[in-house]
Amino acid sequence: MKIFGVVGWKNSGKTGLMERLVADLTARGLKVSTIKHAHHAFDVDQPGRDSHRHRVAGAGQVLLASRMRWALMTELGDAPEPPLSELLGKLDPCDLVLIEGYKRDGHAKLEAHRAETGQPLIAPDDPTVRAVASDAPLSLDRPVFDLDDTRGIADFILAELGL
């Protein structure tokens, strides 16, 4: 299982790029999974639903299953957030895991960048950022792609990983 990350500051285009990359890569016949890091509290459940009621009642884990999909929710309580390596181990085997976020981890990454955010680039100070996808021209010591060049970015990721 190969991994490659997409990082960037808020509103840099990470999620849209991830969505386009998953569509492109799966259309090529690759089995792709994703991991998304959130810096805020989130809830995949909805108040009032049975599974939510189970969690609120104190269940440490709730597995919700149907004919179409299943989801396992685990309450961490006071436990620390699991490291990326542990979360990767929970995924079924696949060709590629695209990781959105986890910008401080050591895996290879591509930085999404939008000039309008006013945020500095991560790439110059991070050798794990192998390329940048931007909506503005940049001069860097690594490849720079147009943020909308999904096919070119996908080709780059596949070449980097030997897929």
Side-chain angles (χ1 to χ4, degrees):
M1 183 163 67
K2 306 280 187 164
I3 67 170
F4 202 90
V6 174
V7 297
W9 301 110
K10 184 177 180 179
N11 297 320
S12 63
K14 298 180 302 292
T15 302
L17 179 57
M18 287 278 293
E19 182 179 15
R20 294 190 311 273
L21 286 170
V22 169
D24 180 282
L25 294 165
T26 57
R28 297 182 195 205
L30 292 168
K31 187 173 179 183
V32 179
S33 294
T34 65
I35 292 180
K36 161 72 172 125
H37 187 260
H39 291 286
H40 49 81
F42 68 91
D43 203 339
V44 296
D45 215 354
Q46 296 177 11
R49 298 287 186 190
D50 293 349
S51 53
H52 186 270
R53 291 170 61 189
H54 296 180
R55 284 181 36 235
V56 170
Q61 287 190 305
V62 176
L63 195 145
L64 180 61
S66 74
R67 182 179 63 80
M68 300 296 292
R69 70 188 54 88
W70 67 269
L72 176 62
M73 294 171 281
T74 302
E75 293 297 310
L76 292 176
D78 293 332
E81 179 180 343
L84 178 58
S85 59
E86 184 179 323
L87 298 173
L88 285 165
K90 296 184 183 298
L91 294 176
D92 289 341
C94 62
D95 299 312
L96 173 62
V97 178
L98 289 175
I99 301 165
E100 182 178 342
Y102 289 95
K103 67 175 147 277
R104 304 287 179 233
D105 282 60
H107 58 279
K109 304 167 191 78
L110 176 129
E111 179 178 356
H113 176 263
R114 281 202 175 118
E116 71 185 29
T117 67
Q119 293 288 348
L121 284 168
I122 297 166
D125 297 321
D126 187 344
T128 67
V129 176
R130 304 281 204 267
V132 174
S134 180
D135 64 351
L138 299 171
S139 178
L140 292 171
D141 62 349
R142 60 204 83 186
V144 176
F145 296 89
D146 184 281
L147 189 56
D148 293 323
D149 183 10
T150 306
R151 184 139 188 100
I153 295 166
D155 288 344
F156 173 80
I157 291 170
L158 295 177
E160 280 282 299
L161 298 175
L163 287 173

